Amino acid sequence: MQSVPGLVILYGSIVKKKWAVNSAFMALYAFAAVLICWVGWGYQMAFGDKFIPFLGQPDVALDQKFLLRRTFVGYLPNATMVYFQFVFAAITLILIAGALLGRMNFHAWMIFVPLWLTFSYTITAYSIWCPTGWLYKKGIIDYSGGYVIHLSSGVAGFTAAFWVGPRTNKDRERFPPNNILLMLAGAGLLWMGWTGFNGGDPYTVSVDASLAVLNTHVCTATSLLVWLLLDIIFFGKPSVIGAIQGMITGLVCITPAAGVVQGWAAIIMGMLSGSIPWYTMMVLHKKISFLKHVDDTMAIFHTHAIAGSLGGILTGIFAEPKLCRIFYLVPEWEHYIGLLNGFHNNRAGAVTNVIMTSIICVVIKFVVPLRLSEEQLSTGDDAIHGEEAYALWGDGEKYQSRHNSFYTADQEIPQSTKSAGAGGQVEMA
């Protein structure tokens, strides 16, 4: 629900009309590509046998004997674990895409996805989530991906946006959503899908799963309302896009803490996630020249890197030892608490993603251009895919792409495929 259809719909509707198809398709492609890489080698690198302190051994995750065997947490078959962890990996790449909408070469994106999954995501996931990972052993608390997913995607998206370059000046100056109602629908699917995102991480129906679900929605609702109020106070109008940004920062902030904090802490986290990222996005971003220089289309740095870091630090403050004991079913459960752990993990995750994302972008530049051509930037979807999001029937004609048509330029379209005219019935061949 979060990625397909949630972010596919959200991305396709929150951008300019000319970028609707490209933006939605970047998300859909990433979802498919990550799955094949994940079962081919990614899952074992993130959760398999130890290869080096921060990475597992590459191996396939398709063998029947392996898939039917119980996973390392003991409740579920590996097949369930492989798929559940896949959707985390997929949404991380899709979130990175949010920083690159409206100018990245689609062929470069096709190469970027498997490379970043292999050489960046697996390292962070293994280090923090796998029981043999070095940060897991140090007691880092990341209940459902505040660091592995959101800090990583926010930093990687911002870094990749630096290497790809900005949108055209025209697009940066004005980039209105092409369909606000669909944008709300996509945002709603993303929010509701987060129930499984955080509620599924105990891998069983349990006390902490129930708490995680409730905390997720309480924090998100609080964050949305705080962001909305700040927009009204400082800009005079209740912004729909602003409310969605507040919703996202609330979801992101509670993610590392969902099942290990009490309800009152979820409220406080929501208040902070609705205000601190708002300040960094609406105030600091306009004052810091480097932030203004990097064109982060969907403000992924603020909504995910800042909100994810905030959530990780607040987890270190608010994590309840008894709740940690329920979630971390290990003898050293007392180890999973502490503010300093939050600061330590912020640094490790950010540095890893900046370095690996930069290396990947530089390598891709030697194969294909990272950025679309000026003609493609001007035209958008039709130049890239030969398709547009909306076919206009008001004048009695169906839009026909000049780049990708069933009929060649010198062929006449059969009369039976044309509209009967404005307000008339359409005949199909």
Side-chain angles (χ1 to χ4, degrees), residues 142-199:
D142 189 0
Y143 187 88
S144 199
Y147 297 128
V148 177
I149 297 169
H150 300 297
L151 176 62
S152 295
S153 63
V155 171
F158 190 80
T159 305
F162 168 81
W163 287 103
V164 174
R167 289 166 291 171
T168 63
N169 289 335
K170 186 177 180 181
D171 279 354
R172 291 194 75 176
E173 290 168 2
R174 179 165 170 76
F175 207 69
N178 68 80
N179 194 317
I180 288 183
L181 293 180
L182 271 182
M183 182 182 73
L184 283 168
L189 288 167
L190 182 67
W191 185 349
M192 292 303 103
W194 225 282
T195 302
F197 191 93
N198 287 350

Short mmCIF file of all heavy atoms in Angstrom, two decimals, residues 142-199:
data_model
loop_
_atom_site.label_atom_id
_atom_site.label_comp_id
_atom_site.label_asym_id
_atom_site.label_seq_id
_atom_site.Cartn_x
_atom_site.Cartn_y
_atom_site.Cartn_z
N ASP A 142 16.41 0.91 16.47
CA ASP A 142 15.74 1.37 15.26
C ASP A 142 14.58 0.41 15.02
O ASP A 142 14.71 -0.57 14.29
CB ASP A 142 16.69 1.39 14.06
CG ASP A 142 16.06 2.05 12.85
OD1 ASP A 142 14.89 2.48 12.95
OD2 ASP A 142 16.72 2.14 11.80
N TYR A 143 13.47 0.70 15.66
CA TYR A 143 12.33 -0.23 15.68
C TYR A 143 11.89 -0.64 14.28
O TYR A 143 11.67 -1.81 14.01
CB TYR A 143 11.16 0.42 16.43
CG TYR A 143 9.99 -0.51 16.66
CD1 TYR A 143 9.95 -1.32 17.79
CD2 TYR A 143 8.94 -0.58 15.77
CE1 TYR A 143 8.88 -2.17 18.01
CE2 TYR A 143 7.87 -1.42 15.97
CZ TYR A 143 7.85 -2.22 17.10
OH TYR A 143 6.78 -3.07 17.31
N SER A 144 11.77 0.35 13.37
CA SER A 144 11.22 -0.01 12.06
C SER A 144 11.82 0.79 10.90
O SER A 144 11.22 0.84 9.84
CB SER A 144 9.70 0.19 12.08
OG SER A 144 9.08 -0.52 11.04
N GLY A 145 13.00 1.39 11.10
CA GLY A 145 13.65 1.99 9.95
C GLY A 145 13.92 3.48 9.98
O GLY A 145 14.13 4.09 8.93
N GLY A 146 13.93 4.09 11.14
CA GLY A 146 14.23 5.51 11.21
C GLY A 146 15.59 5.83 10.61
O GLY A 146 15.77 6.87 9.96
N TYR A 147 16.55 4.95 10.84
CA TYR A 147 17.89 5.11 10.28
C TYR A 147 18.04 4.35 8.98
O TYR A 147 18.48 4.89 7.97
CB TYR A 147 18.94 4.60 11.26
CG TYR A 147 19.00 5.34 12.56
CD1 TYR A 147 18.93 4.67 13.78
CD2 TYR A 147 19.14 6.73 12.57
CE1 TYR A 147 19.00 5.36 14.98
CE2 TYR A 147 19.21 7.42 13.76
CZ TYR A 147 19.14 6.73 14.96
OH TYR A 147 19.21 7.41 16.14
N VAL A 148 17.69 3.06 9.00
CA VAL A 148 17.91 2.19 7.84
C VAL A 148 17.19 2.72 6.61
O VAL A 148 17.70 2.65 5.49
CB VAL A 148 17.46 0.75 8.15
CG1 VAL A 148 17.63 -0.15 6.93
CG2 VAL A 148 18.25 0.19 9.33
N ILE A 149 16.00 3.27 6.80
CA ILE A 149 15.19 3.73 5.67
C ILE A 149 15.20 5.25 5.53
O ILE A 149 15.58 5.79 4.49
CB ILE A 149 13.74 3.22 5.81
CG1 ILE A 149 13.73 1.69 5.77
CG2 ILE A 149 12.84 3.80 4.72
CD1 ILE A 149 12.42 1.07 6.15
N HIS A 150 14.83 5.95 6.58
CA HIS A 150 14.56 7.39 6.42
C HIS A 150 15.79 8.26 6.47
O HIS A 150 15.95 9.16 5.63
CB HIS A 150 13.52 7.81 7.45
CG HIS A 150 12.24 7.07 7.30
ND1 HIS A 150 11.47 7.18 6.17
CD2 HIS A 150 11.61 6.17 8.10
CE1 HIS A 150 10.41 6.39 6.28
NE2 HIS A 150 10.48 5.77 7.44
N LEU A 151 16.67 8.06 7.42
CA LEU A 151 17.92 8.81 7.40
C LEU A 151 18.70 8.47 6.13
O LEU A 151 19.24 9.36 5.46
CB LEU A 151 18.76 8.49 8.64
CG LEU A 151 20.14 9.15 8.69
CD1 LEU A 151 20.01 10.66 8.71
CD2 LEU A 151 20.94 8.65 9.89
N SER A 152 18.72 7.19 5.78
CA SER A 152 19.45 6.75 4.59
C SER A 152 18.89 7.37 3.32
O SER A 152 19.62 7.92 2.49
CB SER A 152 19.40 5.22 4.46
OG SER A 152 20.08 4.60 5.53
N SER A 153 17.58 7.30 3.14
CA SER A 153 16.97 7.84 1.92
C SER A 153 17.09 9.36 1.86
O SER A 153 17.30 9.94 0.79
CB SER A 153 15.51 7.41 1.82
OG SER A 153 14.74 7.93 2.90
N GLY A 154 16.94 10.01 3.00
CA GLY A 154 17.05 11.47 3.02
C GLY A 154 18.43 11.96 2.65
O GLY A 154 18.59 12.88 1.84
N VAL A 155 19.46 11.33 3.23
CA VAL A 155 20.84 11.73 2.94
C VAL A 155 21.21 11.32 1.51
O VAL A 155 21.81 12.10 0.77
CB VAL A 155 21.81 11.07 3.95
CG1 VAL A 155 23.25 11.30 3.53
CG2 VAL A 155 21.57 11.65 5.34
N ALA A 156 20.84 10.10 1.11
CA ALA A 156 21.16 9.64 -0.24
C ALA A 156 20.43 10.46 -1.30
O ALA A 156 21.01 10.79 -2.34
CB ALA A 156 20.81 8.16 -0.38
N GLY A 157 19.16 10.78 -1.06
CA GLY A 157 18.41 11.58 -2.01
C GLY A 157 19.03 12.96 -2.18
O GLY A 157 19.16 13.47 -3.30
N PHE A 158 19.42 13.59 -1.08
CA PHE A 158 20.04 14.91 -1.13
C PHE A 158 21.38 14.85 -1.86
O PHE A 158 21.70 15.71 -2.69
CB PHE A 158 20.22 15.45 0.29
CG PHE A 158 20.63 16.89 0.36
CD1 PHE A 158 19.70 17.89 0.22
CD2 PHE A 158 21.95 17.23 0.58
CE1 PHE A 158 20.07 19.24 0.30
CE2 PHE A 158 22.35 18.56 0.65
CZ PHE A 158 21.40 19.57 0.50
N THR A 159 22.16 13.80 -1.57
CA THR A 159 23.46 13.63 -2.22
C THR A 159 23.30 13.40 -3.72
O THR A 159 24.00 14.00 -4.54
CB THR A 159 24.23 12.45 -1.59
OG1 THR A 159 24.34 12.65 -0.18
CG2 THR A 159 25.62 12.32 -2.19
N ALA A 160 22.37 12.52 -4.09
CA ALA A 160 22.14 12.24 -5.51
C ALA A 160 21.63 13.48 -6.23
O ALA A 160 21.99 13.74 -7.38
CB ALA A 160 21.16 11.08 -5.67
N ALA A 161 20.78 14.27 -5.56
CA ALA A 161 20.27 15.50 -6.16
C ALA A 161 21.40 16.48 -6.45
O ALA A 161 21.38 17.20 -7.45
CB ALA A 161 19.24 16.14 -5.23
N PHE A 162 22.40 16.49 -5.59
CA PHE A 162 23.58 17.33 -5.83
C PHE A 162 24.30 16.90 -7.11
O PHE A 162 24.68 17.74 -7.93
CB PHE A 162 24.53 17.24 -4.64
CG PHE A 162 25.89 17.83 -4.88
CD1 PHE A 162 26.08 19.20 -4.78
CD2 PHE A 162 26.98 17.03 -5.22
CE1 PHE A 162 27.33 19.76 -5.01
CE2 PHE A 162 28.23 17.58 -5.45
CZ PHE A 162 28.41 18.95 -5.34
N TRP A 163 24.46 15.60 -7.30
CA TRP A 163 25.19 15.09 -8.46
C TRP A 163 24.37 15.21 -9.75
O TRP A 163 24.93 15.48 -10.82
CB TRP A 163 25.61 13.64 -8.24
CG TRP A 163 26.72 13.50 -7.26
CD1 TRP A 163 26.64 13.10 -5.95
CD2 TRP A 163 28.11 13.80 -7.48
NE1 TRP A 163 27.87 13.13 -5.34
CE2 TRP A 163 28.80 13.55 -6.27
CE3 TRP A 163 28.82 14.24 -8.59
CZ2 TRP A 163 30.17 13.73 -6.15
CZ3 TRP A 163 30.21 14.43 -8.47
CH2 TRP A 163 30.86 14.17 -7.26
N VAL A 164 23.08 15.01 -9.67
CA VAL A 164 22.24 15.09 -10.87
C VAL A 164 22.06 16.52 -11.33
O VAL A 164 21.99 16.82 -12.52
CB VAL A 164 20.86 14.43 -10.61
CG1 VAL A 164 19.93 14.64 -11.80
CG2 VAL A 164 21.04 12.94 -10.34
N GLY A 165 22.00 17.45 -10.39
CA GLY A 165 21.78 18.85 -10.74
C GLY A 165 20.32 19.23 -10.59
O GLY A 165 19.45 18.37 -10.41
N PRO A 166 20.01 20.51 -10.68
CA PRO A 166 18.64 20.99 -10.42
C PRO A 166 17.71 20.83 -11.62
O PRO A 166 18.14 20.55 -12.73
CB PRO A 166 18.86 22.47 -10.10
CG PRO A 166 20.05 22.84 -10.93
CD PRO A 166 20.94 21.63 -10.93
N ARG A 167 16.43 21.02 -11.36
CA ARG A 167 15.45 21.12 -12.43
C ARG A 167 15.69 22.41 -13.22
O ARG A 167 16.52 23.23 -12.84
CB ARG A 167 14.04 21.14 -11.84
CG ARG A 167 13.56 19.83 -11.25
CD ARG A 167 12.32 20.04 -10.39
NE ARG A 167 12.64 20.77 -9.16
CZ ARG A 167 11.74 21.23 -8.30
NH1 ARG A 167 10.45 21.09 -8.56
NH2 ARG A 167 12.12 21.86 -7.21
N THR A 168 14.94 22.59 -14.28
CA THR A 168 15.03 23.85 -15.02
C THR A 168 14.56 24.99 -14.11
O THR A 168 13.79 24.78 -13.17
CB THR A 168 14.15 23.82 -16.28
OG1 THR A 168 12.78 23.67 -15.88
CG2 THR A 168 14.55 22.66 -17.19
N ASN A 169 15.03 26.19 -14.39
CA ASN A 169 14.62 27.35 -13.59
C ASN A 169 13.10 27.50 -13.58
O ASN A 169 12.50 27.85 -12.56
CB ASN A 169 15.28 28.61 -14.13
CG ASN A 169 16.77 28.65 -13.85
OD1 ASN A 169 17.24 28.03 -12.90
ND2 ASN A 169 17.51 29.37 -14.67
N LYS A 170 12.48 27.24 -14.72
CA LYS A 170 11.03 27.37 -14.83
C LYS A 170 10.33 26.40 -13.89
O LYS A 170 9.33 26.75 -13.23
CB LYS A 170 10.60 27.13 -16.28
CG LYS A 170 9.12 27.37 -16.53
CD LYS A 170 8.79 27.18 -18.01
CE LYS A 170 7.31 27.43 -18.26
NZ LYS A 170 6.97 27.22 -19.71
N ASP A 171 10.84 25.17 -13.82
CA ASP A 171 10.23 24.17 -12.94
C ASP A 171 10.49 24.48 -11.47
O ASP A 171 9.64 24.23 -10.61
CB ASP A 171 10.75 22.77 -13.28
CG ASP A 171 10.03 22.15 -14.47
OD1 ASP A 171 9.05 22.76 -14.95
OD2 ASP A 171 10.44 21.07 -14.91
N ARG A 172 11.66 25.01 -11.16
CA ARG A 172 11.97 25.33 -9.76
C ARG A 172 11.13 26.50 -9.26
O ARG A 172 10.75 26.55 -8.10
CB ARG A 172 13.46 25.64 -9.60
CG ARG A 172 14.37 24.44 -9.79
CD ARG A 172 15.78 24.72 -9.29
NE ARG A 172 15.85 24.70 -7.84
CZ ARG A 172 16.98 24.84 -7.14
NH1 ARG A 172 18.12 25.05 -7.77
NH2 ARG A 172 16.97 24.81 -5.82
N GLU A 173 10.87 27.44 -10.15
CA GLU A 173 10.08 28.62 -9.76
C GLU A 173 8.62 28.28 -9.55
O GLU A 173 7.97 28.84 -8.66
CB GLU A 173 10.23 29.71 -10.83
CG GLU A 173 11.62 30.32 -10.88
CD GLU A 173 11.82 31.17 -12.12
OE1 GLU A 173 10.85 31.30 -12.90
OE2 GLU A 173 12.92 31.71 -12.31
N ARG A 174 8.10 27.39 -10.37
CA ARG A 174 6.68 27.02 -10.25
C ARG A 174 6.53 25.54 -10.57
O ARG A 174 6.80 25.11 -11.68
CB ARG A 174 5.83 27.87 -11.19
CG ARG A 174 4.35 27.53 -11.13
CD ARG A 174 3.49 28.60 -11.78
NE ARG A 174 2.11 28.17 -11.92
CZ ARG A 174 1.22 28.10 -10.92
NH1 ARG A 174 1.61 28.44 -9.69
NH2 ARG A 174 -0.02 27.71 -11.12
N PHE A 175 6.07 24.77 -9.59
CA PHE A 175 5.96 23.32 -9.74
C PHE A 175 4.67 22.85 -9.06
O PHE A 175 4.69 22.11 -8.08
CB PHE A 175 7.18 22.65 -9.10
CG PHE A 175 7.52 21.31 -9.69
CD1 PHE A 175 8.01 21.21 -10.99
CD2 PHE A 175 7.40 20.15 -8.94
CE1 PHE A 175 8.35 19.98 -11.53
CE2 PHE A 175 7.73 18.92 -9.47
CZ PHE A 175 8.22 18.83 -10.77
N PRO A 176 3.51 23.28 -9.59
CA PRO A 176 2.23 22.98 -8.92
C PRO A 176 1.82 21.52 -9.12
O PRO A 176 2.12 20.91 -10.15
CB PRO A 176 1.25 23.91 -9.62
CG PRO A 176 1.82 24.07 -11.00
CD PRO A 176 3.31 24.07 -10.82
N PRO A 177 1.12 20.93 -8.16
CA PRO A 177 0.58 19.58 -8.33
C PRO A 177 -0.40 19.55 -9.49
O PRO A 177 -1.13 20.50 -9.73
CB PRO A 177 -0.14 19.30 -7.01
CG PRO A 177 0.40 20.30 -6.05
CD PRO A 177 0.77 21.50 -6.85
N ASN A 178 -0.42 18.43 -10.23
CA ASN A 178 -1.36 18.34 -11.34
C ASN A 178 -2.72 17.81 -10.90
O ASN A 178 -3.70 17.93 -11.62
CB ASN A 178 -0.78 17.47 -12.47
CG ASN A 178 -0.66 16.02 -12.08
OD1 ASN A 178 -1.62 15.25 -12.11
ND2 ASN A 178 0.55 15.61 -11.72
N ASN A 179 -2.78 17.22 -9.68
CA ASN A 179 -4.06 16.70 -9.19
C ASN A 179 -4.00 16.56 -7.68
O ASN A 179 -3.48 15.58 -7.14
CB ASN A 179 -4.36 15.34 -9.84
CG ASN A 179 -5.81 14.92 -9.63
OD1 ASN A 179 -6.37 15.06 -8.56
ND2 ASN A 179 -6.41 14.38 -10.68
N ILE A 180 -4.54 17.55 -6.97
CA ILE A 180 -4.45 17.56 -5.51
C ILE A 180 -5.31 16.46 -4.88
O ILE A 180 -4.94 15.90 -3.85
CB ILE A 180 -4.83 18.95 -4.96
CG1 ILE A 180 -3.71 19.94 -5.30
CG2 ILE A 180 -5.07 18.91 -3.46
CD1 ILE A 180 -3.91 21.33 -4.75
N LEU A 181 -6.44 16.13 -5.47
CA LEU A 181 -7.27 15.07 -4.90
C LEU A 181 -6.57 13.71 -4.98
O LEU A 181 -6.59 12.93 -4.01
CB LEU A 181 -8.62 15.01 -5.63
CG LEU A 181 -9.54 16.22 -5.43
CD1 LEU A 181 -10.84 16.03 -6.19
CD2 LEU A 181 -9.81 16.46 -3.95
N LEU A 182 -5.93 13.42 -6.11
CA LEU A 182 -5.16 12.18 -6.20
C LEU A 182 -3.96 12.21 -5.27
O LEU A 182 -3.57 11.19 -4.70
CB LEU A 182 -4.69 11.96 -7.64
CG LEU A 182 -5.63 11.20 -8.58
CD1 LEU A 182 -4.98 11.03 -9.95
CD2 LEU A 182 -5.99 9.82 -8.00
N MET A 183 -3.37 13.38 -5.09
CA MET A 183 -2.26 13.54 -4.16
C MET A 183 -2.69 13.15 -2.74
O MET A 183 -1.97 12.44 -2.03
CB MET A 183 -1.78 14.98 -4.20
CG MET A 183 -0.59 15.30 -3.33
SD MET A 183 -0.16 17.06 -3.45
CE MET A 183 -1.51 17.79 -2.52
N LEU A 184 -3.88 13.58 -2.35
CA LEU A 184 -4.41 13.22 -1.03
C LEU A 184 -4.68 11.73 -0.94
O LEU A 184 -4.46 11.11 0.11
CB LEU A 184 -5.69 14.00 -0.75
CG LEU A 184 -5.51 15.47 -0.35
CD1 LEU A 184 -6.84 16.20 -0.39
CD2 LEU A 184 -4.90 15.56 1.04
N ALA A 185 -5.16 11.13 -2.03
CA ALA A 185 -5.40 9.69 -2.03
C ALA A 185 -4.10 8.92 -1.85
O ALA A 185 -4.03 7.96 -1.07
CB ALA A 185 -6.08 9.28 -3.34
N GLY A 186 -3.06 9.33 -2.56
CA GLY A 186 -1.76 8.68 -2.40
C GLY A 186 -1.21 8.84 -1.00
O GLY A 186 -0.65 7.90 -0.41
N ALA A 187 -1.37 10.04 -0.43
CA ALA A 187 -0.90 10.29 0.93
C ALA A 187 -1.67 9.43 1.93
O ALA A 187 -1.09 8.89 2.89
CB ALA A 187 -1.07 11.77 1.27
N GLY A 188 -2.98 9.28 1.71
CA GLY A 188 -3.78 8.45 2.60
C GLY A 188 -3.36 6.99 2.56
O GLY A 188 -3.30 6.31 3.60
N LEU A 189 -3.05 6.48 1.37
CA LEU A 189 -2.57 5.10 1.25
C LEU A 189 -1.22 4.94 1.95
O LEU A 189 -0.96 3.92 2.59
CB LEU A 189 -2.45 4.71 -0.23
CG LEU A 189 -3.77 4.49 -0.96
CD1 LEU A 189 -3.54 4.42 -2.47
CD2 LEU A 189 -4.44 3.21 -0.47
N LEU A 190 -0.38 5.95 1.83
CA LEU A 190 0.92 5.91 2.50
C LEU A 190 0.74 5.85 4.02
O LEU A 190 1.37 5.05 4.70
CB LEU A 190 1.73 7.15 2.11
CG LEU A 190 3.14 7.26 2.69
CD1 LEU A 190 4.04 6.18 2.13
CD2 LEU A 190 3.73 8.65 2.39
N TRP A 191 -0.15 6.69 4.54
CA TRP A 191 -0.40 6.72 5.98
C TRP A 191 -0.98 5.39 6.47
O TRP A 191 -0.48 4.79 7.43
CB TRP A 191 -1.34 7.88 6.31
CG TRP A 191 -1.60 8.10 7.78
CD1 TRP A 191 -1.26 7.28 8.81
CD2 TRP A 191 -2.24 9.24 8.37
NE1 TRP A 191 -1.66 7.82 10.01
CE2 TRP A 191 -2.26 9.02 9.77
CE3 TRP A 191 -2.81 10.39 7.86
CZ2 TRP A 191 -2.83 9.94 10.64
CZ3 TRP A 191 -3.37 11.30 8.74
CH2 TRP A 191 -3.38 11.09 10.12
N MET A 192 -2.02 4.91 5.80
CA MET A 192 -2.64 3.66 6.24
C MET A 192 -1.68 2.47 6.09
O MET A 192 -1.66 1.55 6.89
CB MET A 192 -3.92 3.40 5.46
CG MET A 192 -5.05 4.37 5.77
SD MET A 192 -5.51 4.42 7.53
CE MET A 192 -4.71 5.96 8.05
N GLY A 193 -0.86 2.51 5.03
CA GLY A 193 0.11 1.43 4.84
C GLY A 193 1.15 1.37 5.93
O GLY A 193 1.75 0.32 6.19
N TRP A 194 1.38 2.50 6.60
CA TRP A 194 2.37 2.54 7.69
C TRP A 194 1.93 1.67 8.87
O TRP A 194 2.74 1.34 9.72
CB TRP A 194 2.58 3.98 8.14
CG TRP A 194 4.02 4.34 8.33
CD1 TRP A 194 4.81 4.02 9.39
CD2 TRP A 194 4.86 5.10 7.44
NE1 TRP A 194 6.07 4.54 9.24
CE2 TRP A 194 6.13 5.21 8.04
CE3 TRP A 194 4.65 5.70 6.20
CZ2 TRP A 194 7.19 5.90 7.44
CZ3 TRP A 194 5.70 6.39 5.61
CH2 TRP A 194 6.95 6.48 6.22
N THR A 195 0.66 1.33 8.91
CA THR A 195 0.19 0.42 9.96
C THR A 195 0.95 -0.89 9.89
O THR A 195 1.38 -1.45 10.92
CB THR A 195 -1.32 0.16 9.79
OG1 THR A 195 -2.02 1.40 9.84
CG2 THR A 195 -1.84 -0.76 10.87
N GLY A 196 1.13 -1.40 8.68
CA GLY A 196 1.90 -2.63 8.52
C GLY A 196 3.39 -2.40 8.62
O GLY A 196 4.15 -3.26 9.06
N PHE A 197 3.82 -1.21 8.20
CA PHE A 197 5.23 -0.84 8.23
C PHE A 197 5.78 -0.94 9.66
O PHE A 197 6.80 -1.58 9.91
CB PHE A 197 5.33 0.60 7.72
CG PHE A 197 6.71 1.10 7.43
CD1 PHE A 197 7.25 1.00 6.16
CD2 PHE A 197 7.45 1.74 8.41
CE1 PHE A 197 8.51 1.49 5.88
CE2 PHE A 197 8.71 2.24 8.13
CZ PHE A 197 9.24 2.12 6.86
N ASN A 198 5.10 -0.31 10.61
CA ASN A 198 5.54 -0.34 12.00
C ASN A 198 4.92 -1.48 12.79
O ASN A 198 5.57 -2.08 13.64
CB ASN A 198 5.21 0.99 12.68
CG ASN A 198 6.13 2.12 12.24
OD1 ASN A 198 7.13 1.89 11.57
ND2 ASN A 198 5.78 3.34 12.59
N GLY A 199 3.66 -1.78 12.51
CA GLY A 199 2.98 -2.82 13.27
C GLY A 199 3.48 -4.22 12.97
O GLY A 199 3.29 -5.14 13.77
#
